[in-house]
Amino acid sequence: MTTERTVEGTPSALPTMLKAALPALPGVNLIPGLAKKGGPLPDLRLNRPGVEIDPEHVAAYAGVCGFAPSEALPLTYPHMLAFPLHMAIMTDGSFPYPAIGTVHLRNAITRHRPIAPTELLDVSATATNLRGHAKGKVFDLVTMITSADELVWESTSTYLRVGKGDRDAASEGTPFGVVPSNGVEWRLAGNLGRRYAAVSGDHNPIHLYPLTAKAFGFPRQIAHGMWSKARCVAAIANRLPDEVTVEVEFKKPILLPGTVAFGSRVVDDGAHRGIDFSLTNPKSGAPHLVGRSR
């Protein structure tokens, strides 16, 4: 039986992130009550009813991610409303894996119609579909957002917990092709992770400073995956229909400061009609993100 839990107001981001980081510290994962030792996902659904949109927050998010002013919410913005629920699920005592160190592999968003900033939204999230992977275990965080009982937005984020792999696990994901750069390059400042953290609440230390990123094995801080998706969506937003699905796979991390190249192309081959796009390393062409709309 699914446990339903209501989250009132806007959860505080920093205490939740500290709670998320604790199990990743040496020795802490041996302490009863804090240990995360694997196992089944909890049958837990968290809900945020009647969420009001703050126009100033939308504007700040749009500014960080490159969206032009619009009468509707940016396509990726509702993820900001769901992220506190994602963190609350992954830091819950019943959740079997530490949040820090879990790798975001893919994200798919479906917008059923444009959402006005004046609408009251009901947001729900649950973790589901734990399964084997060649590099460990993967699971999905599924979000549903309704307005007056109408489903207006949904997303699935797929995460990997690295561990003992399953050689027989089925391969996942859509083999998106890499789209070469159209000549567009974006120079990303070293403080981009901190700016995005300020609007998203995602203060994962791998995104903030060289020192905090090095503690988790990165040479310096890296850009948030959902920032990179949002920046790509902002670049093609005026070509997307009202009802649309945008899927991405996250590849190589984007080191900050740094430069990325953006490429997009319209596809209409009968099986797929939409826009394919990529973020790549401008020198090597190696992909940071590949995606498509449909």
Side-chain angles (χ1 to χ4, degrees):
M1 179 179 294
T2 302
T3 299
E4 300 270 354
R5 195 178 301 162
T6 298
V7 177
E8 299 289 353
T10 303
S12 182
L14 285 174
T16 302
M17 193 58 65
L18 290 172
K19 187 177 178 182
L22 274 176
L25 299 176
V28 173
N29 206 31
L30 301 176
I31 301 174
L34 292 177
K36 299 279 191 177
K37 303 217 177 266
L41 297 175
D43 193 2
L44 172 66
R45 180 178 292 110
L46 298 186
N47 304 297
R48 290 183 68 196
V51 177
E52 296 185 23
I53 306 300
D54 178 357
E56 291 186 1
H57 186 251
V58 175
Y61 173 85
V64 172
C65 298
F67 285 96
S70 171
E71 294 182 358
L73 295 180
L75 183 143
T76 50
Y77 179 81
H79 181 78
M80 301 298 95
L81 311 179
F83 181 73
L85 298 185
H86 294 179
M87 290 304 301
I89 289 171
M90 289 195 285
T91 57
D92 190 83
S94 64
F95 197 79
Y97 303 104
I100 300 295
T102 299
V103 182
H104 200 176
L105 296 180
R106 292 184 295 279
N107 174 266
I109 289 173
T110 296
R111 179 181 65 191
H112 295 282
R113 65 161 174 81
I115 304 170
T118 54
E119 296 183 59
L120 286 180
L121 302 176
D122 297 322
V123 186
S124 70
T126 188
T128 187
N129 196 20
L130 181 67
R131 57 210 184 268
H133 185 276
K135 296 183 179 180
K137 294 283 189 181
V138 290
F139 63 91
D140 298 326
L141 280 172
V142 176
T143 301
M144 301 284 185
I145 297 183
T146 60
S147 175
D149 295 326
E150 175 194 5
L151 181 64
V152 293
W153 192 96
E154 57 187 301
S155 76
T156 299
S157 286
T158 300
Y159 288 89
L160 166 68
R161 188 66 204 178
V162 176
K164 184 179 180 182
D166 181 357
R167 292 184 299 175
D168 298 324
S171 60
E172 295 193 27
T174 303
F176 300 140
V178 177
V179 181
S181 171
N182 300 135
V184 176
E185 294 188 359
W186 298 323
R187 296 176 186 243
L188 311 181
N191 68 349
L192 174 61
R194 299 191 292 278
R195 291 178 61 220
Y196 185 77
V199 296
S200 69
D202 185 353
H203 295 270
N204 189 324
I206 64 175
H207 303 302
L208 304 181
Y209 300 97
L211 186 61
T212 57
K214 286 178 181 178
F216 292 90
F218 295 94
R220 59 184 190 270
Q221 68 269 35
I222 64 173
H224 293 73
M226 288 304 293
W227 174 87
S228 64
K229 176 172 184 174
R231 186 65 188 89
C232 291
V233 170
I236 61 173
N238 62 352
R239 293 186 281 163
L240 297 177
D242 287 349
E243 183 174 2
V244 67
T245 295
V246 181
E247 305 170 83
V248 299
E249 294 186 357
F250 303 111
K251 300 296 187 180
K252 294 183 178 295
I254 300 171
L255 297 175
L256 300 174
T259 301
V260 293
F262 175 74
S264 67
R265 64 184 173 215
V266 175
V267 178
D268 189 356
D269 59 10
H272 166 229
R273 182 178 183 180
I275 300 173
D276 287 1
F277 56 91
S278 297
L279 275 185
T280 56
N281 182 305
K283 293 182 179 179
S284 68
H288 297 295
L289 173 153
V290 293
R292 68 175 31 167
S293 72
R294 55 179 174 83

